[in-house]
């Protein structure tokens, strides 16, 4: 049935844009939420793929009602609720898993536990792949339940913190019934864009074959199909609107080679830095829509391939 749906969708032929939001689980500052509300008002036709993080609820002294209110004020009916997991200590221990202080993609040494007490939480830069498949199943299961208990839809899509989805992460996602992962990214777009190339080097080894024109592929076992939807246009913290347009142009050229196929372009931003970088998504949206119209390319925004009956 899944293959039949893919074939049917490809017969239509189009270019599809996905805009995702990584909710890091760090803070919910009003300036970032205000930037998101403004974007939603200006672009009501665009649904977003939210990778929501349960760690907002597990932090010390978190007020669940207040957390839910803040998040839901920027959600709309045409949005998708996915799951995003960073290895925050509060979330890991809430799942009854032993917290790991290393490795981490910011510094070569282990995290100081003093930072946990100083900031109220820590561990966001530890790749979740540092945990075993069984531990990840517990963390993911608890995260899903927290979100569902607080009024969000059951997530079927996922993105690992730092895009670090090693095979043990994929195995845990399959076991937990996820349909889509969007952790694969094009490392070339990240090179030199962070203060340290440590994360880039890890991603370059993990997602060696992923480029800005990579398309969805089956990554999980056939017994529990899990599709990888590459984040081939990366996030606004690292590239500008015109640079995202360059990615779109590459994908349009790929589409022109076979106009019967459906081509995906994924871009996005972080909730925690929306006030600083969301303007780049605004630029990209305007550029994408104008260029597609100019080139007479069939283009639409969706939240997930599922939303447009691709899979």
């Amino acid at each position: 049935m899944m293959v039949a749906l893919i074939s049917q969708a490809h017969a239509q032929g189009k270019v599809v844009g996905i805009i995702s939001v990584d909710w890091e689980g760090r803070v919910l500052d009003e300036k970032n939420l205000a930037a998101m509300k403004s974007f939603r008002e200006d672009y009501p036709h665009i649904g977003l793929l939210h990778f929501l993080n349960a760690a907002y609820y597990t932090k010390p002294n978190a007020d669940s009602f207040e957390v839910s209110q803040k998040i839901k004020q920027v959600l709309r009916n045409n949005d998708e609720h996915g799951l995003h997991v960073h290895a925050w200590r509060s979330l890991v221990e809430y799942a009854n898993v032993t917290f790991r202080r290393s490795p981490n993609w910011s510094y070569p040494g282990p995290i100081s536990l003093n930072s946990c007490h100083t900031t109220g939480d820590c561990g966001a830069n530890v790749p979740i792949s540092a945990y075993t498949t069984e531990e990840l199943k517990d963390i993911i299961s608890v995260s899903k339940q927290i979100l569902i208990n607080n009024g969000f839809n059951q997530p079927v899509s996922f993105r690992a913190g730092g895009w670090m989805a090693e095979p043990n992460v994929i195995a845990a996602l399959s076991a937990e019934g996820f349909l889509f992962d969007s952790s694969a990214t094009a490392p070339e777009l990240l090179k030199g864009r962070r203060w340290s190339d440590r994360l880039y080097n890890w991603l370059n080894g993990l997602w060696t074959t992923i480029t800005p024109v990579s398309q969805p592929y089956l990554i999980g076992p056939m017994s529990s199909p899990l599709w990888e939807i590459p984040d081939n246009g990366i996030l606004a913290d690292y590239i500008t609107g015109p640079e995202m347009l360059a990615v779109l142009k590459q994908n349009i050229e790929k589409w022109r080679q076979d106009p019967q196929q459906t081509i995906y372009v994924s871009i996005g931003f972080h909730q925690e830095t929306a006030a600083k970088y969301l303007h780049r998504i605004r630029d990209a949206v305007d550029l994408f829509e104008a260029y597609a119209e100019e080139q007479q390319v069939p283009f639409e925004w969706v939240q997930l391939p599922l939303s447009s009956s691709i899979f």
Side-chain angles (χ1 to χ4, degrees):
M1 179 63 176
M2 190 172 293
V3 174
L5 286 175
I6 294 172
S7 300
Q8 181 182 8
H10 282 186
Q12 300 170 4
K14 55 190 170 185
V15 178
V16 171
I18 298 174
I19 300 179
S20 63
V21 188
D22 283 15
W23 295 73
E24 300 290 83
R26 187 181 304 277
V27 291
L28 294 165
D29 286 343
E30 184 54 38
K31 64 180 181 181
N32 296 311
L33 297 171
M36 290 181 66
K37 282 193 289 185
S38 178
F39 178 83
R40 304 318 302 269
E41 291 167 1
D42 292 342
Y43 298 94
H45 64 291
I46 298 178
L48 299 177
L49 170 52
H50 296 275
F51 291 111
L52 300 168
N53 200 313
Y56 298 113
Y57 292 94
T58 59
K59 296 198 178 305
N61 303 314
D63 182 321
S64 294
F65 179 77
E66 181 181 356
V67 169
S68 296
Q69 271 198 321
K70 287 185 175 182
I71 296 174
K72 291 177 181 179
Q73 68 179 300
V74 298
L75 302 188
R76 299 294 181 267
N77 291 335
N78 57 344
D79 290 346
E80 179 72 25
H81 301 176
L83 177 65
H84 191 46
V85 175
H86 279 265
W88 291 102
R89 183 182 182 182
S90 67
L91 177 63
V92 170
E93 293 184 344
Y94 189 89
N96 293 316
V97 172
T98 300
F99 175 65
R100 286 169 169 70
R101 297 192 293 138
S102 65
N104 76 85
W105 60 66
S106 291
Y107 305 98
I111 293 171
S112 168
L113 290 181
N114 288 334
S115 67
C116 298
H117 302 303
T118 302
T119 63
D121 210 350
C122 63
N125 294 339
V126 174
I128 62 172
S129 52
Y131 293 84
T132 69
T133 299
E134 290 303 311
E135 289 172 330
L136 286 167
K137 286 164 61 177
D138 290 340
I139 295 169
I140 290 168
S141 177
V142 161
S143 295
K144 285 196 302 182
Q145 199 57 54
I146 289 172
L147 292 176
I148 292 169
N149 289 348
N150 284 282
F152 300 98
N153 300 334
Q154 178 167 323
V156 297
S157 56
F158 181 86
R159 178 172 291 156
W163 301 281
M164 289 296 297
E166 297 272 4
N168 58 325
V169 177
I170 299 303
L173 291 176
S174 294
E176 288 298 314
F178 280 79
L179 302 177
F180 307 99
D181 177 63
S182 188
S183 302
T185 194
E188 66 187 76
L189 297 178
L190 193 66
K191 187 176 184 180
R193 301 298 178 111
R194 290 170 54 89
W195 65 272
S196 166
D197 269 345
R198 187 173 176 81
L199 179 58
Y200 160 75
N201 291 334
W202 288 1
L203 293 171
N204 199 38
L206 176 58
W207 302 115
T208 306
T209 63
I210 302 299
T211 72
V213 294
S214 291
Q215 294 300 303
Y217 62 94
L218 188 64
I219 194 172
M222 287 304 296
S223 58
S224 179
L226 176 68
W227 288 87
E228 183 62 51
I229 314 297
D231 187 20
N232 55 5
I234 211 162
L235 301 179
D237 299 56
Y238 309 113
I239 64 174
T240 65
E243 288 172 323
M244 292 179 203
L245 177 62
V247 172
L248 174 70
K249 289 180 177 180
Q250 291 180 61
N251 281 280
I252 286 178
E253 287 308 307
K254 186 180 182 73
W255 171 79
R256 290 191 192 282
Q257 295 169 16
D258 177 11
Q260 301 306 308
Q261 65 184 320
T262 296
I263 294 292
Y264 293 88
V265 181
S266 174
I267 60 176
F269 63 98
H270 294 93
Q271 179 276 139
E272 272 81 348
T273 55
K276 187 173 183 179
Y277 294 115
L278 187 50
H279 71 93
R280 293 181 174 182
I281 297 295
R282 287 177 172 271
D283 292 343
V285 169
D286 294 342
L287 290 168
F288 277 32
E289 293 180 352
Y291 186 78
E293 182 177 4
E294 173 193 318
Q295 297 295 313
Q296 298 184 326
V297 173
F299 178 83
E300 67 172 306
W301 298 103
V302 302
Q303 302 76 43
L304 272 181
L306 187 65
S307 305
S308 55
S309 300
I310 299 302
F311 298 122

